[in-house]
Amino acid sequence: MDENYLMQDYRMLRQEMVENQLMARGILDQAVLDAMRKVPREEFVPAGMAEFAYEDTPLPIGEGQTISQPYMVALMIEKLELSPGDRVLEIGTGSGYGAAVLARIAAEVYTVERYHDLAEAARERFQQLGSANIHVLHGDGTLGWPEHAPYNAIVVTAGGPDIPDPLREQMAVGGRMVIPVGPTPRLQELVRVRRISEYEYQEEGLGSVQFVPLIGAAGWEGPGNEGSHELPSAPPRPSLPELIRKAAEPVLSIVRPDLGGLLERIGDARVVLLGDASHGTAEFYEMRARITQELITRRDFTIVAVEADWPDAARIDHYVRNTPVIAPADKPFSRFPTWMWANTQMLSFIEWLRQYNQTIESPERSVGFYGLDLYSLYTSIAAALTCLDNVDPETARVARHRYGCLLPWERDPAAYGAAALSGRYRECEQEVVVMLQDLMRKRLEYAARNGQYFLSVVQKARLIANAERYYRFMYYGSAASWNLRDSHLFETLDILLNFRGPSSRAVVWAHNSHIGDASATEMAARGEYNLGQMCRAKFGNGAYLIGFGTDHGTVAAASDWDGPLEVKNILPAHPKSYEWLCHHSGTEAFLLPLKPASAQSRIQSQGQSQSQGQVRDQVRKELLRQRLERAIGVIYRPETELESHYFLASLPRQFDEYIWFDETRAVTPLSPDAGKGMPETFPFRA
């Protein structure tokens, strides 16, 4: 084929790449766009792959390395904020494409490659293209190239476990570094570092990415760390676990914890979300109970909403508020995982709540107990029908007919998703939605008779409509099932707040994965959002998100879904995790504020010194970069813990506060005869 024709064809492909892959995604730096238009990417890919040079994808270049997709090259260079006179250090030369683009913008480019053959091949390409301002070193990139430091900008094209100190030291004051960082080689966060002064650095997360591992003395371990060279050690910096210890408020006793500082930080928040790092840890339940008791007695909270099914929680609500039971006779929390709410720690709080409500003269000020979840599709149908029988028998008759289309799958809700493939779900979906619409039209009529009845009936109808979709999405295996479930949690909470009036305030108990802000975790990379994120979006500072964590101990969990309860030993925290840092603080239990101290100046009245506020700000900055965080649900598999139970997160962006218990114990499930000798209203009777 004619060489001029090929060159013309590649120029056209470059232009399309710039327009469709870069500009369309928000790359706006004109210098970067011009450089990407001019550098012939086809010269930097292996022979035989030139036709794929301008595809929106990374390509292999040998030695297990890749040439990054064009958009990622442009994004990282744009984030460097280059000026024409800048001196740039690149770590990971690869094929040389990134250095060639940098050389079109900056004055000098120094690039380090650990693989000899790649370094030599890149050097030859630069000579052929006449790129005289690019200098190549074969060596350990994690140690940089100190002979030519300081650099105005550093770009690292491989993912390391941390930001290498040698690279920090080679930044000029005012310099920028863009680097992928993550505690595992599978996924990183792209981080931009600015050197503010000789000893001060500022870090900013740019989103989740996936790069090849950064191998070297200051990176991941690996063979062939050739060409490494010694550097003077960096000035010692305070230990992060030590800073955590200084910033934290110790918890000396769960029975009588000092929660004054926490209540001040919560302030006037309308919604307080209390997490847990597992569904089977006693300390998490006990501490949530103590905080909730303080919020009820000292801050007038009237709603306790939990990650539990609405009909089951309704039995508890009737018990603690002494209202008539309008629900099936089945014992609540009798399906897997029974121990999650039917445990002695929970029972102690329920009994306290019942006694507290007996001291309240006005029923409107009594504290209600509500379930936010939607798993109980079929128990909710039964509960909705029972309620309708009481308030509107004719509507109950119509509902029985309409809900009948769901009954073939009553024994196995997941099997309903399988039927979705045949298209039969469309008929059920329409019937369920029509049922909800009919109930909404009768809102005023029901409210006039009994507002509590209306709330229960409409919520159960909503639950049926959402659960119908949830099981269908679950079958398809998409992120939509998670998003639907958490949207349901949020919508139910919002309905409760509206129902209880404009002055109502709610405390929520749910797993960390629900109450932390999902946008600060790797969930966001999967397109998932959650309850905590939606609460922040709606309530702003009126939502206060509190996470929990532990290092070791025991936990109540199963090995498989619907499996038997086991008391399992929790493995000590992974060395690259937040939990590891908290464990090495040497403090057995503590509260760690994570909001900037400037946003919590009012806690000065509680005795916090200015220096402690500065320490907390320093800890927050140090913790912002994503690390591993552990999540144990109702299933725990220690044998595959890293893959099954850890995810990446930025703790200070995920939570407003973090509560730590170094060693924990499993919850104690209620025995089958827990209700013997108790009144008829006791909810855990068989």
Side-chain angles (χ1 to χ4, degrees):
M1 184 176 291
D2 183 81
E3 184 174 343
N4 290 331
Y5 178 83
L6 278 177
M7 291 179 62
Q8 179 66 27
D9 194 37
Y10 285 133
R11 279 196 294 269
M12 183 178 67
L13 290 173
R14 278 198 293 277
Q15 180 61 30
E16 291 177 353
M17 173 195 74
V18 169
E19 292 178 358
N20 300 330
Q21 298 179 36
L22 308 186
M23 296 174 66
R25 290 178 178 168
I27 303 297
L28 302 177
D29 189 311
Q30 197 59 49
V32 175
L33 297 174
D34 289 343
M36 298 287 283
R37 285 190 185 97
K38 294 173 182 176
V39 175
R41 184 176 167 87
E42 68 273 10
E43 298 291 340
F44 294 88
V45 300
M49 299 194 71
E51 63 179 298
F52 305 111
Y54 296 98
E55 295 291 322
D56 186 22
T57 183
L59 296 171
I61 57 173
E63 304 288 356
Q65 306 301 296
T66 61
I67 177 175
S68 296
Q69 74 182 111
Y71 170 73
M72 189 54 61
V73 174
L75 175 66
M76 295 177 75
I77 295 176
E78 183 179 58
K79 296 302 182 182
L80 289 174
E81 300 175 351
L82 295 177
S83 297
D86 281 349
R87 181 190 300 259
V88 181
L89 173 64
E90 180 193 45
I91 305 303
T93 312
S95 69
Y97 177 67
V101 176
L102 288 165
R104 290 272 181 173
I105 307 171
E108 299 291 335
V109 176
Y110 297 85
T111 180
V112 184
E113 174 55 56
R114 68 182 298 266
Y115 292 102
H116 177 272
D117 290 349
L118 291 180
E120 289 304 310
R123 184 181 283 113
E124 291 179 9
R125 289 191 186 99
F126 299 145
Q127 291 174 352
Q128 293 170 2
L129 293 171
S131 302
N133 62 337
I134 304 178
H135 315 278
V136 183
L137 172 68
H138 167 229
D140 182 350
T142 67
L143 302 179
W145 196 343
E147 291 81 2
H148 301 285
Y151 300 98
N152 305 104
I154 300 176
V155 61
V156 184
T157 63
D162 295 293
I163 299 171
D165 282 334
L167 299 185
R168 286 181 184 268
E169 291 303 303
Q170 292 172 43
M171 297 173 67
V173 173
R176 295 79 57 201
M177 173 165 46
V178 174
I179 176 174
V181 178
T184 69
R186 66 180 182 179
L187 186 68
Q188 304 96 23
E189 180 182 31
L190 194 63
V191 176
R192 177 164 57 190
V193 184
R194 296 181 189 273
R195 188 166 190 173
I196 308 302
S197 64
E198 185 177 0
Y199 297 110
E200 186 179 4
Y201 299 85
Q202 184 182 73
E203 296 181 14
E204 174 189 3
L206 301 175
S208 298
V209 292
Q210 188 166 20
F211 279 79
V212 296
L214 177 64
I215 306 297
W220 296 106
E221 293 183 3
N225 293 340
E226 311 95 331
S228 62
H229 36 278
E230 294 296 325
L231 291 172
S233 59
R237 292 189 293 165
S239 156
L240 184 48
E242 181 183 357
L243 287 174
I244 290 174
R245 178 180 59 78
K246 292 179 179 179
E249 294 179 358
V251 175
L252 302 179
S253 167
I254 296 181
V255 178
R256 291 185 181 84
D258 180 4
L259 298 178
L262 174 62
L263 291 180
E264 286 296 319
R265 290 187 290 274
I266 289 172
D268 297 328
R270 190 177 185 193
V271 178
V272 175
L273 297 99
L274 301 176
D276 62 53
S278 90
H279 284 321
T281 298
E283 283 79 2
F284 298 159
Y285 285 79
E286 291 166 349
M287 191 62 171
R288 290 192 299 195
R290 284 296 301 120
I291 294 172
T292 303
Q293 289 166 1
E294 292 294 298
L295 292 173
I296 290 171
T297 57
R298 297 171 61 179
R299 295 300 173 92
D300 297 324
F301 278 64
T302 56
I303 296 171
V304 179
V306 302
E307 182 190 343
D309 293 335
W310 179 273
D312 289 340
R315 292 288 300 275
I316 305 299
D317 184 58
H318 296 314
Y319 178 66
V320 300
R321 293 203 286 168
N322 196 30
T323 59
V325 176
I326 314 171
D330 297 336
K331 183 168 67 172
F333 310 118
S334 57
R335 67 167 180 83
F336 177 87
T338 57
W339 66 88
M340 181 173 165
W341 297 113
N343 59 65
T344 58
Q345 289 76 25
M346 195 67 204
L347 181 58
S348 295
F349 173 71
I350 291 169
E351 291 295 347
W352 177 90
L353 191 56
R354 176 178 169 86
Q355 293 174 16
Y356 173 82
N357 278 334
Q358 289 173 350
T359 68
I360 302 299
E361 295 182 1
S362 171
E364 290 75 19
R365 300 305 305 162
S366 65
V367 180
F369 187 91
Y370 307 95
L372 301 179
D373 220 336
L374 52 57
Y375 278 135
S376 62
L377 173 60
Y378 298 105
T379 56
S380 291
I381 290 175
L385 292 174
T386 301
C387 285
L388 286 169
D389 280 335
N390 282 278
V391 297
D392 191 337
E394 178 57 26
T395 301
R397 185 188 65 78
V398 176
R400 281 188 171 85
H401 171 72
R402 290 177 174 173
Y403 292 155
C405 69
L406 296 172
L407 293 180
W409 304 284
E410 182 172 0
R411 298 295 180 185
D412 183 7
Y416 174 64
L421 294 183
S422 69
R424 291 188 63 190
Y425 75 88
R426 298 188 188 280
E427 179 185 351
C428 293
E429 183 177 43
Q430 181 62 26
E431 294 294 296
V432 168
V433 170
V434 168
M435 184 75 259
L436 177 57
Q437 291 171 340
D438 285 354
L439 285 171
M440 294 303 292
R441 277 194 294 269
K442 292 178 178 261
R443 174 172 185 167
L444 292 178
E445 179 184 346
Y446 288 154
R449 298 186 196 178
N450 187 312
Q452 186 63 35
Y453 269 29
F454 168 73
L455 175 66
S456 187
V457 172
V458 171
Q459 174 56 21
K460 285 162 188 168
R462 280 185 66 257
L463 193 155
I464 294 164
N466 283 343
E468 191 274 343
R469 295 171 60 210
Y470 174 78
Y471 285 116
R472 177 156 38 88
F473 287 149
M474 184 175 65
Y475 183 81
Y476 290 122
S478 68
S481 60
W482 174 275
N483 292 343
L484 173 63
R485 183 185 176 200
D486 269 58
S487 294
H488 179 90
L489 298 178
F490 173 75
E491 290 165 5
T492 304
L493 176 62
D494 201 31
I495 286 174
L496 287 170
L497 288 166
N498 290 330
F499 183 81
R500 294 299 301 262
S503 64
S504 62
R505 306 174 78 182
V507 57
V508 177
W509 295 21
H511 195 275
N512 284 351
S513 58
H514 292 293
I515 69 98
D517 189 334
S519 67
T521 76
E522 71 176 63
M523 293 167 65
R526 300 194 297 265
E528 296 173 346
Y529 48 83
N530 69 353
L531 173 64
Q533 183 177 350
M534 287 183 277
C535 283
R536 273 187 173 169
K538 172 152 188 176
F539 300 108
N541 290 330
Y544 201 83
L545 283 52
I546 303 176
F548 284 69
T550 186
D551 177 73
H552 62 281
T554 59
V555 65
S559 295
D560 296 289
W561 187 263
D562 216 21
L565 167 67
E566 304 172 54
V567 175
K568 299 190 174 196
N569 290 317
I570 303 174
L571 297 179
H574 190 279
K576 298 295 183 181
S577 68
Y578 285 110
E579 288 85 355
W580 187 91
L581 294 172
C582 292
H583 171 68
H584 282 82
S585 72
T587 307
E588 291 298 315
F590 59 73
L591 309 176
L592 181 64
L594 293 172
K595 278 190 170 183
S598 59
Q600 298 179 342
S601 58
R602 60 180 175 274
I603 61 178
Q604 297 285 347
S605 62
Q606 292 294 316
Q608 177 186 313
S609 66
Q610 184 177 2
S611 61
Q612 187 179 32
Q614 292 172 342
V615 171
R616 287 179 177 173
D617 276 347
Q618 186 177 356
V619 168
R620 185 180 189 278
K621 290 178 182 178
E622 294 279 352
L623 294 179
L624 274 172
R625 180 173 54 77
Q626 285 192 330
R627 291 174 169 85
L628 289 177
E629 183 183 323
R630 181 160 53 191
I632 301 173
V634 295
I635 295 172
Y636 182 44
R637 295 175 177 146
E639 63 276 9
T640 59
E641 186 179 64
L642 180 60
E643 297 80 8
S644 304
H645 298 288
Y646 278 98
F647 62 97
L648 287 171
S650 172
L651 200 73
R653 293 195 294 119
Q654 184 185 10
F655 302 115
D656 298 311
E657 188 119 359
Y658 191 63
I659 299 181
W660 176 255
F661 294 100
D662 197 62
E663 182 175 9
T664 51
R665 70 193 192 282
V667 295
T668 305
L670 291 179
S671 64
D673 58 354
K676 288 185 178 178
M678 298 295 291
E680 287 291 329
T681 55
F682 186 71
F684 293 104
R685 291 173 61 92

